Amino acid sequence: MDRAAVFDVDGTLVDTNHLHVTTWWEAFRQAGHRVPMHAIHRAVGLGSTDLIAHLLGEDRDKEQDSRLSSAHTAPYAQYFDRLPAFQDAGRLLRRLHRNGWAVVLATSASGPELSALRRAIDADEAIAATASSDDVEEGKPAPEPVAHALELAGVPAERAVFVGDTVWDMQAGSRAGVPCVAVLCGGVPRADLEQAGAGAVYDDPAHLLARLTDSPLA
């Protein structure tokens, strides 16, 4: 395969963004931080440390980061056996695989969380590789996660497309030199995604699948 379709997962293929918002809000509340949910929603897509830094600032007590992350992960893990994939997410990946695309996941998730997300998508036969947060030093919006996904696929940036749902996704893909496609199902406004680098925007995986023949993934 000489072209790659790189996908973010949370909010793009699996309907988890608002679960993250709620569990992060609870983690911050337990630690005595009043962080509004709308601010957390806009930060979803960043890795844990970057999300905490984005919301609490660089002058925070950084020794608290690991406890905050654990306080988020513990309640979120209760949903692992029932994470809901968006409609046609698995069908989209399987169609792209049949069409000759190397499908690679680029996500800040790792370990049991990543396994749960892959179970939800239910398209392992179509997924060529996964670039997780364990594989890179810097997460999105740095280009490293997308660049690593391209390395795994053995495909140059100009032969790839990156699909995501957040501003951080669009910035990471653009900085890696990869054309970006956005989906609205993560809850980020179209204008913000386009300003961050999205060349095409679809409602969700089902909409992208329905419009596949005239999309950047044709």
Side-chain angles (χ1 to χ4, degrees):
M1 294 179 179
D2 64 351
R3 53 185 183 172
V6 182
F7 281 84
D8 171 64
V9 182
D10 282 298
T12 300
L13 297 172
V14 186
D15 190 6
T16 52
N17 280 7
H18 289 89
L19 293 175
H20 280 298
V21 170
T22 302
T23 50
W24 272 116
W25 175 84
E26 179 62 21
F28 286 124
R29 187 197 67 79
Q30 290 176 7
H33 301 290
R34 294 175 60 89
V35 183
M37 289 193 184
H38 71 84
I40 298 172
H41 179 246
R42 298 303 293 263
V44 168
L46 295 171
S48 294
T49 300
D50 291 333
L51 181 145
I52 294 167
H54 181 77
L55 293 170
L56 298 185
E58 292 296 338
D59 59 347
R60 70 195 185 281
D61 178 5
K62 296 180 182 178
E63 292 184 0
Q64 198 179 51
D65 284 5
S66 61
R67 292 194 298 273
L68 279 168
S69 183
S70 296
H72 154 259
T73 301
Y76 180 67
Q78 297 177 30
Y79 298 99
F80 280 2
D81 63 349
R82 56 191 187 278
L83 296 179
F86 286 113
Q87 181 181 348
D88 289 340
R91 286 185 61 202
L92 173 61
L93 301 193
R94 288 190 290 271
R95 173 73 66 81
L96 290 169
H97 175 70
R98 290 198 303 271
N99 289 355
W101 292 82
V103 176
V104 182
L105 305 182
T107 174
S108 59
S110 61
E113 180 182 351
L114 178 57
S115 297
L117 291 165
R118 291 185 64 143
R119 287 196 302 273
I121 299 166
D122 192 24
D124 274 357
E125 70 276 14
I127 299 170
T130 300
S132 80
S133 60
D134 293 334
D135 304 318
V136 296
E137 293 184 4
E138 288 190 86
K140 306 166 193 172
E144 192 173 351
V146 180
H148 181 57
L150 298 181
E151 291 175 3
L152 293 174
V155 172
E158 62 271 17
R159 295 288 296 167
V161 175
F162 180 50
V163 183
D165 70 297
T166 67
V167 167
W168 319 115
D169 290 329
M170 300 302 102
Q171 291 176 348
S174 297
R175 291 170 182 173
V178 178
C180 294
V181 169
V183 288
L184 298 173
C185 46
V188 178
R190 177 187 295 267
D192 291 0
L193 294 166
E194 290 176 338
Q195 185 176 4
V201 182
Y202 300 87
D203 293 339
D204 52 25
H207 186 209
L208 176 54
L209 178 61
R211 299 291 303 274
L212 197 59
T213 56
D214 59 1
S215 78
L217 289 157

